[in-house]
Amino acid sequence: MTKPLVAVLSGAGISTDSGIPDYRGPGGVWRKDPEAEKLVTYEYYMGDPEIRRRSWRMRRATGTLRAEPNAAHRAVTELERSGVPVRVITQNVDGLHQAAGMPARKVLELHGSARSVVCTRCHARGPMEDALARVDAGEDDPPCLECGGVLKPATVMFGERLDPVVLGDALAISKACQVFIAVGTSLQVHPAAGLAGVAVDHGARLVIVNAEPTPYDSIADEIVRERIGTALPGLLRRLSAGGAR
Ligand code: ZN
């Protein structure tokens, strides 16, 4: 028997147990504070060195790089290791699926990664850790070491487009999967939210694991409201045991 392809769309809720707040969701930290939102808005970031200096200071303070994956991230990896084909599509930039052992090529990061930096001029990439070390050493707005251009986190800022290649891959997986699990996402931010609808249109079973209702609850086959850290491991164990349908 061929095991069903499982797509896991993860949002901020999967990482709250790792101590990472919801920054960019509709009710997220950035949306509620216009001054904080400027730090992650492309136009302000590029146009104002003071915004960049504050942005680097904020990145040093938040400690995203020190966060550890939790039971929910590990459960997704266990499902993959059990032999079920799994693809993760994540709205998170924390890299915690990979930190939990998911192969990087099986994780699509819709909003990029906070673990890397990218040059806005020559597109050279490097580890965020190195850039933050330069900030620690006194560079308050570290430029690209290759060309001197403005360096930014490799995340999709407000005002930037999602990577069309990543989005295309996410769409293809949503169409091809037999099970689509949306976990810890309010399914209110497009185009990520629309992937749930695409999956259902192509015959997938939709499972929603989220504390709050979502706009897709009415077309879901299963809705789980319990805490993600306890609910997801149980749900995925059932899947790997062959209880997908
Ligand atoms: Zn450069």
Side-chain angles (χ1 to χ4, degrees):
M1 193 185 84
T2 321
K3 302 230 178 180
L5 174 63
V6 177
V8 177
L9 173 68
S10 66
I14 199 172
S15 291
T16 44
D17 278 357
S18 294
I20 298 177
D22 179 5
Y23 285 107
R24 66 181 301 149
V29 176
W30 288 334
R31 289 296 191 189
K32 282 191 276 193
D33 178 353
E35 280 308 305
E37 188 172 334
K38 281 184 187 174
L39 304 183
V40 289
T41 300
Y42 189 78
E43 191 191 341
Y44 289 109
Y45 188 88
M46 293 305 289
D48 185 350
E50 178 53 27
I51 292 281
R52 292 201 291 278
R53 287 191 282 271
R54 282 173 50 204
S55 167
W56 286 112
R57 284 201 296 274
M58 171 198 69
R59 257 163 251 289
R60 270 178 76 207
T62 53
T64 302
L65 297 186
R66 291 189 298 272
E68 303 273 352
N70 63 57
H73 298 106
R74 288 193 294 272
V76 175
T77 304
E78 276 162 31
L79 179 67
E80 196 265 337
R81 287 181 181 167
S82 77
V84 173
V86 179
R87 293 292 183 278
V88 173
I89 304 165
T90 188
Q91 297 172 278
N92 302 336
V93 298
D94 52 39
L96 291 181
H97 283 290
Q98 298 93 317
M102 270 303 282
R105 65 193 160 81
K106 296 187 176 179
V107 181
L108 293 170
E109 297 177 303
L110 291 173
H111 295 144
S113 172
R115 291 184 182 256
S116 300
V117 292
V118 62
C119 173
T120 54
R121 190 192 292 162
C122 75
H123 308 295
R125 291 173 76 98
M128 172 62 80
E129 217 176 340
D130 294 357
L132 290 182
R134 291 172 63 195
V135 178
D136 281 339
E139 288 183 76
D140 56 5
D141 178 20
C144 172
L145 291 172
E146 306 287 329
C147 78
V150 171
L151 216 52
K152 69 179 276 295
T155 52
V156 178
M157 289 185 162
F158 294 122
E160 283 190 290
R161 278 170 14 123
L162 301 197
D163 183 332
V165 175
V166 175
L167 192 57
D169 287 350
L171 205 54
I173 287 162
S174 303
K175 287 177 181 172
C177 70
Q178 280 82 49
V179 183
F180 188 100
I181 305 174
V183 47
T185 166
S186 58
L187 294 177
Q188 286 178 37
V189 179
H190 283 273
L195 297 173
V198 169
V200 169
D201 286 347
H202 287 77
R205 179 181 157 78
L206 175 63
V207 183
I208 295 176
V209 186
N210 198 52
E212 306 293 328
T214 82
Y216 291 85
D217 286 4
S218 60
I219 58 166
D221 295 279
E222 188 177 346
I223 298 169
V224 181
R225 294 258 181 264
E226 286 123 75
R227 275 193 61 233
I228 292 167
T230 43
L232 195 66
L235 179 83
L236 297 187
R237 269 195 297 274
R238 267 196 289 134
L239 261 183
S240 68
R245 285 181 185 264

